[in-house]
Amino acid sequence: MNHEQFQDMLDNLANVGVGQEVLGEVLARVSLIAPEETSRIAIAAGNPAARRAVDQRAIPQGTVSKAVKALMDEGLLEAGERALSSPDGRPLLPIRLGSSYAIAGVNITQSGDQPRQVTTALLGLDGTRDPFGIAHDRADRWDQAIELIHYHVASLKRACDRDRAARGLKPLRMLGVGVEVGSPVYNGEVMAHLSDGSAPPVALTAALNRLFKADPGFGQAVPVIVENDVNALAVLAIHQAHYAEPDLVVVGVFDEGVGGGLVMDGRLRRGGNGRAMEIGHLAVSFPPGHQEREPDPRDRGRGALSAGLPDFYTRCWCGHLGHVDTLAPPRRIQGMLGDFPLDQLGETDSRHPRFEEAQHVFARSGAALGRALAHVSNTVNPSRIITYLPAPLAGPKPDTAAAAYRAAMEQEVLSAFAAGDKDDYLTIRALPAEPEDLALLGARAAAICVLESFIEHALRLDGCTTTLRRSSGSTGGFPVLKLTGIPGDGGLPGPSYVPGSLATGEPREQYRLQSARGAVREWFAKKCSK
């Protein structure tokens, strides 16, 4: 990984008398309890019983004071509002994450290897408060998604800066842009589901870096962090739990696939090439040693026959049969039972003539997911497994077909050899029912990944290869051009805004960084043709 922009920021703080690791430790401890506020004394104390190593050791208060001052001067921390006091009653300065910085979180909804929707939210550093603004737009190609991300972030930031200027505040500074995708990610590149090399990776980070570097509206390079969607959910989960559990598995069951994220020793683990915890590709429907066989046409589901939906016998995105992704996702259940809403299918009960068929399909689907989670439990022995399910599967009505899904899943997981005996060892969370809310959850998770990446870089835990310093005038070979308004631009649809704390009501602005975008398109075409 190369986080040169993070290093630039840390280099600006190099003359404060403390190393960047201390700055990372202090920022990590403040973010640990965000959005709550803390004090220098609490930051310095350390906690030998803490689950993260970064929280354990005590730091001299003088060192903490230097680090806090530097981070406040930079705007990453600020004075809070709570009344805090020391054990002997002395008032203490409350400290919290700074409000002069923002992070853009981006969710890219995919179908297979291709994007379908881009949702961007401009958020504060802790990611918990209402977004400054949100934008949604459809994208059918990766080059279009790349341009939309840049357009969304630039437009949302300009709208927010205008609002801040009207209130006498300085423009927001960008800590970075986090992007989550429904594919494996390795070194900032989006990998294809097929691992045979037939489809080249999409160099999403590099393409976005080029656009942001060529945009004078940001005044500096903007770090871009690209992460797998369930890995991002795992980072969000440990952040929300204040790192109380260092070993955690997070699983997400989406319409078309299942993914996982692994946290060990308080850090996300991505594996050798970004494909760790791709549990959707575990083979669970045939015994070991048996070869894949084409399904009997008589076994095909009603939805597959009537509406062309994928069913239990349709190959996985990776080309194989019998994977978890062919059994556990809602779309496969619909392929077996018919093209009806999942909640309608799940509420089928004993009064319905097809109840036994529906119950069998839901139970088989849930058991496939549970078997995969049992394998994960026995392999990595997490302290807890958090599973995000669609609402009809997370909280089914008793004695319905959907109840069979959850019961079969739980039976498989809790009978695993390494399953914990805590009541919440398997924690079920419902995914938001509305697509916009689901996308916003993903955008929040992506934003938190930026803050975590900055902290890990400061602590030198990210394996970053940043060694050479580039000149500040470099734009990666792309000319820096001014933004030019182009009404009626047909090359890129404008975003539809859903205001957060802003309600500007202003018409959409349209613009193009003509040469930069043209260069990205040409570069993207060359990459795909190799």
Side-chain angles (χ1 to χ4, degrees):
M1 288 178 285
N2 189 315
H3 294 155
E4 192 168 351
Q5 297 94 339
F6 287 157
Q7 192 60 49
D8 288 340
M9 185 182 299
L10 291 165
D11 287 347
N12 290 334
L13 300 173
N15 297 320
V16 299
V18 296
Q20 71 176 55
E21 292 92 339
V22 174
L23 295 172
E25 283 185 281
V26 170
L27 192 59
R29 295 183 186 187
V30 177
S31 71
L32 175 67
I33 63 169
E36 297 300 318
E37 298 171 3
T38 186
S39 67
R40 290 182 177 87
I41 289 179
I43 294 171
N47 178 8
R51 308 309 294 267
R52 290 194 310 177
V54 72
D55 301 317
Q56 293 171 1
R57 77 179 185 97
I59 308 174
Q61 286 196 24
T63 302
V64 169
S65 293
K66 291 180 182 178
V68 167
K69 182 180 185 305
L71 292 168
M72 282 187 163
D73 290 344
E74 181 65 20
L76 290 167
L77 297 180
E78 67 182 17
E81 299 174 346
R82 288 185 55 198
L84 301 179
S85 59
S86 66
D88 59 4
R90 291 183 294 108
L92 300 175
L93 175 70
I95 300 168
R96 65 187 180 191
L97 293 175
S99 59
S100 61
Y101 269 90
I103 302 174
V106 182
N107 164 266
I108 298 181
T109 303
Q110 289 177 227
S111 179
D113 285 329
Q114 296 302 312
R116 291 292 177 261
Q117 181 86 11
V118 174
T119 298
T120 304
L122 196 61
L123 298 153
L125 287 186
D126 63 37
T128 62
R129 305 181 192 278
D130 289 339
F132 299 121
I134 307 172
H136 306 275
D137 270 300
R138 183 173 179 82
D140 298 314
R141 305 182 315 274
W142 281 107
D143 56 339
Q144 187 182 30
I146 290 166
E147 292 184 2
L148 273 173
I149 292 170
H150 170 256
Y151 180 50
H152 283 176
V153 175
S155 299
L156 291 171
K157 184 179 183 301
R158 281 202 308 274
C160 187
D161 286 347
R162 283 194 297 267
D163 178 79
R164 290 172 63 87
R167 294 183 284 128
L169 300 175
K170 294 181 179 180
L172 279 173
R173 300 176 67 182
M174 294 295 298
L175 184 64
V177 177
V179 184
E180 63 145 43
V181 299
S183 295
V185 175
Y186 183 60
N187 281 345
E189 294 188 329
V190 181
M191 315 299 290
H193 287 88
L194 284 172
S195 57
D196 60 3
S198 59
V202 179
L204 193 58
T205 301
L208 285 171
N209 276 333
R210 283 171 168 83
L211 285 179
F212 283 113
K213 285 172 67 175
D215 185 345
F218 288 90
Q220 60 183 12
V222 179
V224 176
I225 305 297
V226 179
E227 190 59 86
N228 168 265
D229 52 1
V230 188
N231 278 348
L233 279 179
V235 173
L236 179 64
I238 58 175
H239 186 82
Q240 290 174 332
H242 306 300
Y243 298 86
E245 294 163 308
D247 302 307
L248 189 70
V249 164
V250 176
V251 173
V253 178
F254 303 103
D255 277 349
E256 296 185 352
V258 180
L262 173 63
V263 176
M264 298 189 73
D265 299 322
R267 296 187 61 219
L268 181 69
R269 305 297 177 173
R270 300 174 179 85
N273 63 356
R275 297 178 185 269
M277 283 297 295
E278 286 289 342
I279 68 169
H281 299 289
L282 287 174
V284 292
S285 70
F286 49 85
H290 285 231
Q291 300 298 314
E292 297 178 3
R293 294 183 299 174
E294 290 298 325
D296 189 324
R298 292 172 296 182
D299 294 332
R300 301 306 298 269
R302 298 172 185 264
L305 295 174
S306 64
L309 299 178
D311 62 6
F312 289 170
Y313 308 102
T314 305
R315 289 185 179 273
C316 178
W317 291 111
C318 69
H320 291 282
L321 295 167
H323 284 186
V324 174
D325 271 358
T326 69
L327 296 165
R331 183 62 70 185
R332 301 293 178 141
I333 296 173
Q334 292 168 313
M336 292 300 297
L337 298 176
D339 190 14
F340 302 100
L342 182 66
D343 56 353
Q344 180 180 334
L345 293 171
E347 290 179 359
T348 303
D349 58 23
S350 58
R351 295 170 296 179
H352 196 283
R354 292 178 56 197
F355 173 62
E356 290 188 5
E357 176 190 358
Q359 188 180 44
H360 172 75
V361 167
F362 273 89
R364 185 180 177 191
S365 184
L369 175 63
R371 180 65 57 89
L373 296 181
H375 289 323
V376 170
S377 178
N378 290 335
T379 303
V380 301
N381 191 27
S383 56
R384 188 154 61 115
I385 297 176
I386 298 175
T387 304
Y388 285 87
L389 294 175
L393 302 177
K397 295 180 180 179
D399 303 319
T400 59
Y405 184 104
R406 179 161 174 172
M409 177 191 67
E410 291 175 339
Q411 181 179 2
E412 291 280 351
V413 175
L414 299 179
S415 62
F417 173 76
D421 57 1
K422 297 189 301 182
D423 291 340
D424 62 349
Y425 176 72
L426 176 63
T427 300
I428 306 297
R429 294 180 180 174
L431 290 168
E434 295 300 323
E436 294 83 3
D437 295 332
L438 179 59
L440 180 57
L441 173 65
R444 288 186 185 278
I448 290 296
C449 288
V450 175
L451 178 61
E452 290 298 306
S453 294
F454 179 73
I455 291 172
E456 287 205 343
H457 182 83
L459 295 170
R460 304 187 193 276
L461 296 175
D462 59 352
C464 183
T465 59
T466 299
T467 54
L468 300 177
R469 311 307 305 157
R470 73 168 176 237
S471 64
S472 60
S474 170
T475 59
F478 288 176
V480 178
L481 299 181
K482 294 182 179 180
L483 294 171
T484 56
I486 49 167
D489 177 17
L492 182 67
S496 50
Y497 289 104
V498 181
S501 60
L502 293 178
T504 61
E506 297 178 5
R508 293 184 310 203
E509 295 180 68
Q510 295 184 321
Y511 65 94
R512 177 187 290 155
L513 292 168
Q514 298 177 14
S515 294
R517 286 187 173 167
V520 166
R521 287 168 178 159
E522 180 181 355
W523 168 82
F524 185 87
K526 289 180 179 178
K527 286 286 290 185
C528 290
S529 65
K530 290 182 180 179

